[in-house]
Amino acid sequence: MISRPGLSYLGNAGGGFIAGLIRRENANDDVFGVSGEFYFAVSSSGAVSVGSGGISGSSRVRMATDGANTMIVRSGTLYCKPGSGPLDVVALPDTSQASDVVYLAGRFWVSIKSTGRVYFTNPGETTIDPLNYFTAESSPDAIQGLGVDDDQLMILGRSSIEWWTPTGDPDLPAQRVVGRHSPAGLASVFSLATTDAGLAWVGDDGIIYRSGGIPTPISQPDIAEAIARGRLIANDNDPATTLNGWSFTLEQHVYYVLDVPGEGTLAYDFTTGQWSDFGTNGKSLFMAGCGAKLAKGKWITGGSFDSKIRQITPTALTDDGTPLVREFFGLTRSRTTLRFSNVFTECSVGGAGLAYPSDDPKLAMRYSDNEGKTWSEWQYASLGRQGQYNRKPTFKNPTKMRFGTRIWCWRMSDPVPFTVHTAGYNEKLT
């Protein structure tokens, strides 16, 4: 088991929490973002430049870009920020409110709140003609969000999904893909994320799906239960209680990261098919709430609790100075009384620093015999000082275990590299 990467400070966008980031595929290869009510840009070298305000609201944002122009949806209002021009509000017909925006086949596509209607721009334009629209056909539910799936427009309603394909016809620029339909639906537009492995989102049934021929569940029953609890307190106008998803890719691993209100931050690795918890010490959620790819494969994140831009850094051993807490669990079942002379781990050792706080790192361990309702006191074992590569962290004489199940929990919070290979018990130690 390999620890998740840490975060290193890159810059400050000011204004407030980072509501969204998107890479603009332009000549500058920069990232555009929204902080509070302000917009900003991050250059390919990592320099942050803050623009003006005017993007009203307190929620996260949905964005799409053609490289030259960036469309932004927040609190029902559609904005356009040209590369060098001022921010402007895009008028929608009949004072409609936008729910989402994507870019596909030379056009921006905008869904309208509480309806099944999708408006689209003419190629190269950023204004909305009142006659340029179509209506989702397969179900009467309102559109929650839009996605791009294999060069098709994916329309996600509350309880249905349908796909439309671009036609190239100026009078009918898209038509529905007959026979392709799903009842999965979308719980919140902010849970919808474009990943390098396709789209991922939380369905209205509380199941997390990934796109493909048909939406495929990737969550487990316990995760669905956590989402059900989180949706009871979810509030899209509060970033700390938004069912919020985003994605990043690192070292051939593609991650979908989801904030679940009241439950924490979950992360799915498309490469391994495994879930884990992402968190920041002392915070209810992972401090990063959105991300975008910068030049040369680097990924940056925006703060959910501040206006800081941070880089995902595999060699970072903290989250911008905050301890990186790493936990893993094990399970022992027995039909008889089981005595333990020791419990050991094989993990990264000998990588300590020469000065505090990394000169004498320790691994902590505790256990529970009642399914995690109560826990033993923490015990500690040294990972050795620098160069002590033959160390095997060992915990002596845990209490005996009677018939049943024991959950083991190990924790590492010292700023040293940490990888776990195996764990066991009752080994003869020399």
Side-chain angles (χ1 to χ4, degrees), residues 7 10 17 24 38 79 110 115 123 184 296 344 383 402 427:
L7 302 175
L10 192 64
F17 84 99
R24 293 191 290 196
F38 290 78
Y79 302 88
V110 182
T115 73
K296 299 181 180 178
F344 67 92
L383 267 69
R402 301 187 184 276
E427 181 174 271

Side-chain angles (χ1 to χ4, degrees), residues 7-347:
L7 302 175
S8 55
Y9 177 78
L10 192 64
N12 197 319
F17 84 99
I18 308 299
L21 294 169
I22 189 170
R23 178 173 177 167
R24 293 191 290 196
E25 304 290 348
N26 54 18
N28 296 327
D29 204 21
D30 62 1
V31 167
F32 179 88
V34 175
S35 177
E37 297 189 357
F38 290 78
Y39 62 84
F40 64 92
V42 183
S43 71
S44 58
S45 63
V48 180
S49 56
V50 181
S52 61
I55 307 174
S56 301
S58 60
S59 70
R60 296 190 177 276
V61 298
R62 299 287 295 173
M63 296 190 288
T65 182
D66 62 3
N69 305 283
T70 302
M71 291 284 199
I72 307 154
V73 172
R74 185 183 232 180
S75 301
T77 302
L78 178 64
Y79 302 88
C80 179
K81 174 60 180 72
S84 57
L87 180 76
D88 196 12
V89 174
V90 180
L92 294 172
D94 302 321
T95 64
S96 301
Q97 289 194 316
S99 61
D100 203 3
V101 59
V102 295
Y103 181 77
L104 174 66
R107 302 172 188 266
F108 288 100
W109 309 76
V110 182
S111 58
I112 303 301
K113 278 187 176 181
S114 304
T115 73
R117 185 170 292 189
V118 176
Y119 283 95
F120 52 86
T121 64
N122 292 321
E125 297 183 2
T126 57
T127 57
I128 301 292
D129 186 322
L131 299 179
N132 285 357
Y133 75 92
F134 62 85
T135 303
E137 302 172 349
S138 61
S139 178
D141 57 332
I143 298 174
Q144 296 282 80
L146 302 173
V148 176
D149 178 28
D150 290 335
D151 292 328
Q152 292 182 335
L153 181 65
M154 191 172 175
I155 301 176
L156 299 98
R158 285 197 186 97
S159 56
S160 69
I161 302 174
E162 58 187 62
W163 286 259
W164 289 63
T165 187
T167 63
D169 184 339
D171 297 321
L172 184 64
Q175 62 182 10
R176 190 167 73 88
V177 180
V178 179
R180 193 176 185 193
H181 173 266
S182 172
L186 177 63
S188 169
V189 66
F190 296 113
S191 74
L192 180 60
T194 300
T195 82
D196 286 353
L199 296 175
W201 70 94
V202 178
D204 192 54
D205 53 8
I207 298 172
I208 302 175
Y209 294 91
R210 65 178 296 180
S211 62
I214 59 172
T216 302
I218 58 175
S219 57
Q220 301 160 347
D222 60 329
I223 293 176
E225 291 175 7
I227 290 173
R229 293 190 296 267
R231 291 177 70 182
L232 296 176
I233 61 172
N235 179 3
D236 285 348
N237 291 317
D238 178 6
T241 57
T242 297
L243 195 62
N244 170 62
W246 61 284
S247 176
F248 71 94
T249 301
L250 187 71
E251 297 174 346
Q252 299 184 11
H253 290 261
V254 181
Y255 296 93
Y256 171 63
V257 185
L258 179 69
D259 293 337
V260 182
E263 302 293 324
T265 301
L266 307 174
Y268 179 73
D269 185 339
F270 284 94
T271 306
T272 65
Q274 295 181 338
W275 284 93
S276 59
D277 291 315
F278 277 14
T280 295
N281 194 31
K283 299 290 186 182
S284 59
L285 302 168
F286 187 31
M287 66 165 58
C290 55
K293 183 164 60 177
L294 204 57
K296 299 181 180 178
K298 296 179 180 179
W299 282 81
I300 60 173
T301 70
S304 286
F305 304 97
D306 54 34
S307 57
K308 292 182 180 181
I309 307 296
R310 300 176 175 92
Q311 182 175 321
I312 298 174
T313 309
T315 56
L317 299 174
T318 66
D319 283 337
D320 189 13
T322 300
L324 186 60
V325 179
R326 293 153 284 187
E327 288 187 346
F328 64 100
F329 295 83
L331 190 70
T332 299
R333 288 192 177 98
S334 178
R335 294 186 177 276
T336 61
T337 297
L338 190 59
R339 299 178 184 275
F340 301 94
S341 60
N342 59 65
V343 172
F344 67 92
T345 58
E346 293 180 355
C347 56

Side-chain angles (χ1 to χ4, degrees), residues 407-421:
I407 301 173
W408 306 87
C409 173
W410 291 265
R411 173 181 288 183
M412 179 66 190
S413 60
D414 290 319
V416 296
F418 188 66
T419 301
V420 180
H421 303 289

